[in-house]
Amino acid sequence: MTEEAPKSSDFIREIITEDLKTGKYDRRIHTRFPPEPNGYLHMGHAKSICLNFGIAGDFSGKCNLRFDDTNPEKEEQEYVNSIIDSVRWLGFDFGPEPLYASDYFDVMYHAAEYLITAGHAYVDSQTAEEMRENRGTLTSPGKDSPFRGRSADENLRLFREMRDGRHPDASMVLRAKIDMASPNINMRDPAIYRIKHAEHHRTGSIWCIYPMYTYAHPIEDAIEKITHSICTLEFEDQRPFYDWLLERLAEGGLLQRPLPRQIEFARLNLSYTVLSKRKLIQLVTEGHVRGWDDPRMPTISGIRRRGYTPEAVRNFCERIGVAKRDSMVDLSLLEFCIREDLNKRAPRVMAVLRPLRMVITNYPEDQEEELDAINNPEDPAAGSRKVPFSRVLYIERDDFQENPPKQFFRLAPGREVRLRYAYYITCERVVKNEQTGEVVELHCTYDPKTRGGDSPDGRKVKATLHWVSAKHALRAEARLYDTLFITPEPGEESGDFRKDINADSLTVLDPVHVEPSLEGSVPGSTYQFERMGYFCVDPDTTRGKLAFNRTVTLKDTWAKIQKAQK
Ligand code: ATP
Ligand code: MG
C-alpha cells in the first residue's frame, strides 16, 4: 500500500493520504459507488465513478458497485443492467457481481429493533400532515410527537405489526429519537422505516416496510466496511445523522469500529444540458429524444453511442477535478477531451455530407485510378490506403461559392484548388437548374502533372478539398447534433427546463457519400471525416446502409470568421 499522495491530488485524496499515515483504517481504503437503479447513469455519475474507482486504484484499495435499491416503487432490472454496463464500459472493475442494499434488509431490520429497545427509536402514529407541522422550520424548533413517549415494548410490538402487514401505508412510521429542537432539521427525529405495500424488484413481496435512504445508506457502508463514503454536497446536512446512527449501532455492538466517514464534494454541472435522472426521464418519456441512449443525451449510454470513448470521459473527469464548491463546467471542455483522444486514434477518411456533383471534363470517361491516402498523420503505424478517383466526383456544396467573399479561399469560378491526395482542378463552368437557379454541377479540368497533390512548377493553391468518386462511393446517412438545449443552464429563467429545448438539435443528412474503404464498418467504429468532424458508426446501420453520428466537429475557422463578421 502506498503512502505517497498520488500525482493528481485533491482534498479527498489528501484526507485519505492522512488516514493512511495515521493508520486510521488499518491502512485499508475502500470506497463505493452507490447508484439508485431508477434511471440511466449520466455524466455526473461518471464523475462520481471516476472519483471512487480512481481513488481505489490510486491507493491499492477497493471500490464496490452497490445498488441502493431501498425504494421498491421506482426501481427496475433494466436500470440495473444499464448501470452495470456503463460502469464496465468506463473501464472499472467491481468484481464479478455488484452488491445490493436489499441484501441487507434483514440487518437493517434488526438494527431498527435494537434502536427501539435501546430507546433510540419510536413508532409515530401522527399523520403525515401533523408530522410536517410539528417538524418546525429553519428558524423555529419542532414539537415532540404525542407518541414520542411510547414504551420500548409498545414500540417493538407496533414495529413488528408494521412488518407483518397489519397496518396500511403511511399509517405509522418508525422514527429515530434524537432532538426535535435541533438546529439541523435532519436531526429532528428523522423517519427511518415506512410502510409500503409494494413489490420490490429483488425481494418481491417479502417486505412491506422499507428503510429510508438516510437510514439505509450508513448501514450499507458499515456492513461493507467502507472507509470513505464519498457523496455530493446535498448530503452535507445528513452527515450528523450518518454519524449518530453508526455511533448508536457501534455502541450496541452491532457494528465494529472504525466507522466509515462521509465526505462530500461538489456535483458536476455541465452547460447546455441537464444532469438529473428525474429530468432525463422526462426527456425520454415525453419523447423529446429517441431514448436513453439518444446521442444527444448526457447519459453514459448516450455519449457512448455518440462516439465518445471511455478514455475521453475519464480524462474529462480528471481535468475537472474535485472541489467543495459548486460550479458549472463548460461543455467545450468535454468536446476538447474527445477531440484530443480521437485525434490520436480515429482513422481519416473522406466523406461528402452535402454533395455537389463535379465532372472533370478532361478526364477520360472510362478511366479510373487509385490514389494513396494516409490513414492517420498522428499515427504512422496506421499506414495508408487506396482511394479511387474517376471522372465524376462529389465535393462539399459549402466548398464552392459562385460569388466568393474576400476571405473565402475554396472553389469558385475560374479558381484552382487541390483535391486531397489527387490533383489540382480548375472550375470552368457552373451548371444551374434553370428554374431555381440552384447550382447543380460544376465542370472542371484537372492538371495531370499534379498527381498526388503537388505541382511540379511550384504554383500554389489556397485550398484543399475532400471529395469522393461518385461511382465508387457508398451511400450513407449522417446525423449531426447540436446541444439539446439553447441555454447554458436550461430552465434557469423560466423554471421549466423543457422550455429551453433546442428544436434543431438533430439534422439528418441523407444521402451522404463516403469513400468505399468504409464498407463493412461495424457500429462503434470512429473516424475522422476529413474537414467535417469525428463520426462514429451508429447501431442503426444495416447491411445496405451505414448510419453515422457526428461525435464532435473539428475546429472550423471559416465559421469563426463568419461569426466575427456578424
Ligand atoms: P440525480 O440527482 O441525477 O437523480 P442521484 O444523486 O439521485 O442523481 P444516485 O443514483 O443516488 O443518483 O447517485 C449515485 C451517486 O452518484 C451518488 O453518490 C451521487 O452523489 C452521485 N452523483 C449523482 N449526480 C452527480 C453529479 N451531477 N455529479 C457528481 N456526482 C453525482
Ligand atoms: Mg439520489
PDB file of all heavy atoms in Angstrom, residues 122-126 130 134 143-150:
ATOM      1  N   TYR A 122     -38.810   5.211  17.912  1.00  0.00           N
ATOM      2  CA  TYR A 122     -40.195   5.012  18.333  1.00  0.00           C
ATOM      3  C   TYR A 122     -41.112   5.005  17.126  1.00  0.00           C
ATOM      4  O   TYR A 122     -40.794   5.552  16.070  1.00  0.00           O
ATOM      5  CB  TYR A 122     -40.620   6.107  19.322  1.00  0.00           C
ATOM      6  CG  TYR A 122     -40.614   7.514  18.763  1.00  0.00           C
ATOM      7  CD1 TYR A 122     -41.786   8.125  18.313  1.00  0.00           C
ATOM      8  CD2 TYR A 122     -39.419   8.237  18.687  1.00  0.00           C
ATOM      9  CE1 TYR A 122     -41.776   9.413  17.810  1.00  0.00           C
ATOM     10  CE2 TYR A 122     -39.402   9.523  18.178  1.00  0.00           C
ATOM     11  CZ  TYR A 122     -40.576  10.116  17.736  1.00  0.00           C
ATOM     12  OH  TYR A 122     -40.555  11.396  17.227  1.00  0.00           O
ATOM     13  N   VAL A 123     -42.247   4.374  17.305  1.00  0.00           N
ATOM     14  CA  VAL A 123     -43.255   4.345  16.248  1.00  0.00           C
ATOM     15  C   VAL A 123     -44.151   5.565  16.422  1.00  0.00           C
ATOM     16  O   VAL A 123     -44.684   5.808  17.503  1.00  0.00           O
ATOM     17  CB  VAL A 123     -44.085   3.041  16.308  1.00  0.00           C
ATOM     18  CG1 VAL A 123     -45.233   3.097  15.288  1.00  0.00           C
ATOM     19  CG2 VAL A 123     -43.189   1.837  16.053  1.00  0.00           C
ATOM     20  N   ASP A 124     -44.260   6.317  15.363  1.00  0.00           N
ATOM     21  CA  ASP A 124     -45.075   7.527  15.405  1.00  0.00           C
ATOM     22  C   ASP A 124     -46.356   7.286  14.611  1.00  0.00           C
ATOM     23  O   ASP A 124     -46.301   6.850  13.466  1.00  0.00           O
ATOM     24  CB  ASP A 124     -44.294   8.707  14.810  1.00  0.00           C
ATOM     25  CG  ASP A 124     -44.941  10.042  15.175  1.00  0.00           C
ATOM     26  OD1 ASP A 124     -46.046  10.036  15.743  1.00  0.00           O
ATOM     27  OD2 ASP A 124     -44.328  11.086  14.875  1.00  0.00           O
ATOM     28  N   SER A 125     -47.501   7.597  15.233  1.00  0.00           N
ATOM     29  CA  SER A 125     -48.786   7.404  14.554  1.00  0.00           C
ATOM     30  C   SER A 125     -49.403   8.723  14.105  1.00  0.00           C
ATOM     31  O   SER A 125     -50.576   8.758  13.736  1.00  0.00           O
ATOM     32  CB  SER A 125     -49.773   6.660  15.465  1.00  0.00           C
ATOM     33  OG  SER A 125     -49.192   5.486  15.967  1.00  0.00           O
ATOM     34  N   GLN A 126     -48.639   9.783  14.128  1.00  0.00           N
ATOM     35  CA  GLN A 126     -49.174  11.042  13.607  1.00  0.00           C
ATOM     36  C   GLN A 126     -49.413  10.901  12.110  1.00  0.00           C
ATOM     37  O   GLN A 126     -48.756  10.113  11.434  1.00  0.00           O
ATOM     38  CB  GLN A 126     -48.150  12.178  13.786  1.00  0.00           C
ATOM     39  CG  GLN A 126     -47.881  12.581  15.211  1.00  0.00           C
ATOM     40  CD  GLN A 126     -46.902  13.771  15.252  1.00  0.00           C
ATOM     41  OE1 GLN A 126     -47.319  14.903  15.447  1.00  0.00           O
ATOM     42  NE2 GLN A 126     -45.626  13.493  15.065  1.00  0.00           N
ATOM     43  N   GLU A 130     -49.562  16.111  10.221  1.00  0.00           N
ATOM     44  CA  GLU A 130     -49.172  16.507  11.590  1.00  0.00           C
ATOM     45  C   GLU A 130     -47.652  16.485  11.748  1.00  0.00           C
ATOM     46  O   GLU A 130     -47.061  17.370  12.366  1.00  0.00           O
ATOM     47  CB  GLU A 130     -49.806  15.543  12.610  1.00  0.00           C
ATOM     48  CG  GLU A 130     -51.301  15.743  12.780  1.00  0.00           C
ATOM     49  CD  GLU A 130     -51.983  14.577  13.521  1.00  0.00           C
ATOM     50  OE1 GLU A 130     -51.449  13.438  13.500  1.00  0.00           O
ATOM     51  OE2 GLU A 130     -53.050  14.823  14.103  1.00  0.00           O
ATOM     52  N   ASN A 134     -45.358  19.614  12.879  1.00  0.00           N
ATOM     53  CA  ASN A 134     -44.581  19.555  14.119  1.00  0.00           C
ATOM     54  C   ASN A 134     -43.069  19.522  13.901  1.00  0.00           C
ATOM     55  O   ASN A 134     -42.305  19.520  14.855  1.00  0.00           O
ATOM     56  CB  ASN A 134     -45.016  18.348  14.949  1.00  0.00           C
ATOM     57  CG  ASN A 134     -46.420  18.541  15.497  1.00  0.00           C
ATOM     58  OD1 ASN A 134     -46.866  19.687  15.662  1.00  0.00           O
ATOM     59  ND2 ASN A 134     -47.128  17.445  15.762  1.00  0.00           N
ATOM     60  N   LYS A 143     -41.885  20.270  17.413  1.00  0.00           N
ATOM     61  CA  LYS A 143     -42.617  19.864  18.622  1.00  0.00           C
ATOM     62  C   LYS A 143     -42.591  18.361  18.746  1.00  0.00           C
ATOM     63  O   LYS A 143     -42.742  17.646  17.743  1.00  0.00           O
ATOM     64  CB  LYS A 143     -44.081  20.324  18.516  1.00  0.00           C
ATOM     65  CG  LYS A 143     -44.308  21.727  19.047  1.00  0.00           C
ATOM     66  CD  LYS A 143     -45.778  21.886  19.406  1.00  0.00           C
ATOM     67  CE  LYS A 143     -46.463  22.810  18.497  1.00  0.00           C
ATOM     68  NZ  LYS A 143     -47.428  22.935  17.693  1.00  0.00           N
ATOM     69  N   ASP A 144     -42.454  17.879  19.955  1.00  0.00           N
ATOM     70  CA  ASP A 144     -42.448  16.431  20.165  1.00  0.00           C
ATOM     71  C   ASP A 144     -43.773  15.816  19.742  1.00  0.00           C
ATOM     72  O   ASP A 144     -44.840  16.376  20.014  1.00  0.00           O
ATOM     73  CB  ASP A 144     -42.208  16.104  21.638  1.00  0.00           C
ATOM     74  CG  ASP A 144     -40.746  16.299  22.033  1.00  0.00           C
ATOM     75  OD1 ASP A 144     -39.955  16.740  21.154  1.00  0.00           O
ATOM     76  OD2 ASP A 144     -40.399  16.002  23.194  1.00  0.00           O
ATOM     77  N   SER A 145     -43.707  14.659  19.134  1.00  0.00           N
ATOM     78  CA  SER A 145     -44.922  13.924  18.793  1.00  0.00           C
ATOM     79  C   SER A 145     -45.566  13.417  20.089  1.00  0.00           C
ATOM     80  O   SER A 145     -44.859  13.038  21.033  1.00  0.00           O
ATOM     81  CB  SER A 145     -44.552  12.731  17.909  1.00  0.00           C
ATOM     82  OG  SER A 145     -45.587  11.775  17.909  1.00  0.00           O
ATOM     83  N   PRO A 146     -46.918  13.373  20.137  1.00  0.00           N
ATOM     84  CA  PRO A 146     -47.576  12.802  21.323  1.00  0.00           C
ATOM     85  C   PRO A 146     -47.235  11.311  21.503  1.00  0.00           C
ATOM     86  O   PRO A 146     -47.450  10.758  22.589  1.00  0.00           O
ATOM     87  CB  PRO A 146     -49.064  12.989  21.037  1.00  0.00           C
ATOM     88  CG  PRO A 146     -49.181  13.372  19.595  1.00  0.00           C
ATOM     89  CD  PRO A 146     -47.867  13.947  19.170  1.00  0.00           C
ATOM     90  N   PHE A 147     -46.703  10.674  20.473  1.00  0.00           N
ATOM     91  CA  PHE A 147     -46.367   9.241  20.572  1.00  0.00           C
ATOM     92  C   PHE A 147     -44.898   9.003  20.933  1.00  0.00           C
ATOM     93  O   PHE A 147     -44.435   7.881  20.994  1.00  0.00           O
ATOM     94  CB  PHE A 147     -46.690   8.550  19.241  1.00  0.00           C
ATOM     95  CG  PHE A 147     -48.116   8.747  18.806  1.00  0.00           C
ATOM     96  CD1 PHE A 147     -48.459   9.709  17.864  1.00  0.00           C
ATOM     97  CD2 PHE A 147     -49.134   7.979  19.381  1.00  0.00           C
ATOM     98  CE1 PHE A 147     -49.778   9.901  17.481  1.00  0.00           C
ATOM     99  CE2 PHE A 147     -50.468   8.169  18.996  1.00  0.00           C
ATOM    100  CZ  PHE A 147     -50.791   9.132  18.048  1.00  0.00           C
ATOM    101  N   ARG A 148     -44.173  10.107  21.158  1.00  0.00           N
ATOM    102  CA  ARG A 148     -42.729  10.012  21.379  1.00  0.00           C
ATOM    103  C   ARG A 148     -42.413   9.257  22.671  1.00  0.00           C
ATOM    104  O   ARG A 148     -41.345   8.667  22.816  1.00  0.00           O
ATOM    105  CB  ARG A 148     -42.134  11.414  21.442  1.00  0.00           C
ATOM    106  CG  ARG A 148     -40.635  11.460  21.152  1.00  0.00           C
ATOM    107  CD  ARG A 148     -40.153  12.911  21.077  1.00  0.00           C
ATOM    108  NE  ARG A 148     -38.837  13.018  20.473  1.00  0.00           N
ATOM    109  CZ  ARG A 148     -37.728  13.132  21.170  1.00  0.00           C
ATOM    110  NH1 ARG A 148     -37.759  13.176  22.477  1.00  0.00           N
ATOM    111  NH2 ARG A 148     -36.562  13.209  20.548  1.00  0.00           N
ATOM    112  N   GLY A 149     -43.381   9.276  23.640  1.00  0.00           N
ATOM    113  CA  GLY A 149     -43.133   8.653  24.930  1.00  0.00           C
ATOM    114  C   GLY A 149     -43.504   7.177  25.012  1.00  0.00           C
ATOM    115  O   GLY A 149     -43.445   6.577  26.097  1.00  0.00           O
ATOM    116  N   ARG A 150     -43.888   6.569  23.885  1.00  0.00           N
ATOM    117  CA  ARG A 150     -44.271   5.156  23.923  1.00  0.00           C
ATOM    118  C   ARG A 150     -43.137   4.304  24.513  1.00  0.00           C
ATOM    119  O   ARG A 150     -41.957   4.574  24.277  1.00  0.00           O
ATOM    120  CB  ARG A 150     -44.559   4.660  22.502  1.00  0.00           C
ATOM    121  CG  ARG A 150     -45.976   4.976  22.032  1.00  0.00           C
ATOM    122  CD  ARG A 150     -46.165   4.597  20.563  1.00  0.00           C
ATOM    123  NE  ARG A 150     -47.570   4.651  20.207  1.00  0.00           N
ATOM    124  CZ  ARG A 150     -48.043   4.754  18.974  1.00  0.00           C
ATOM    125  NH1 ARG A 150     -47.213   4.822  17.952  1.00  0.00           N
ATOM    126  NH2 ARG A 150     -49.337   4.790  18.753  1.00  0.00           N
TER     127      ARG A 150
END
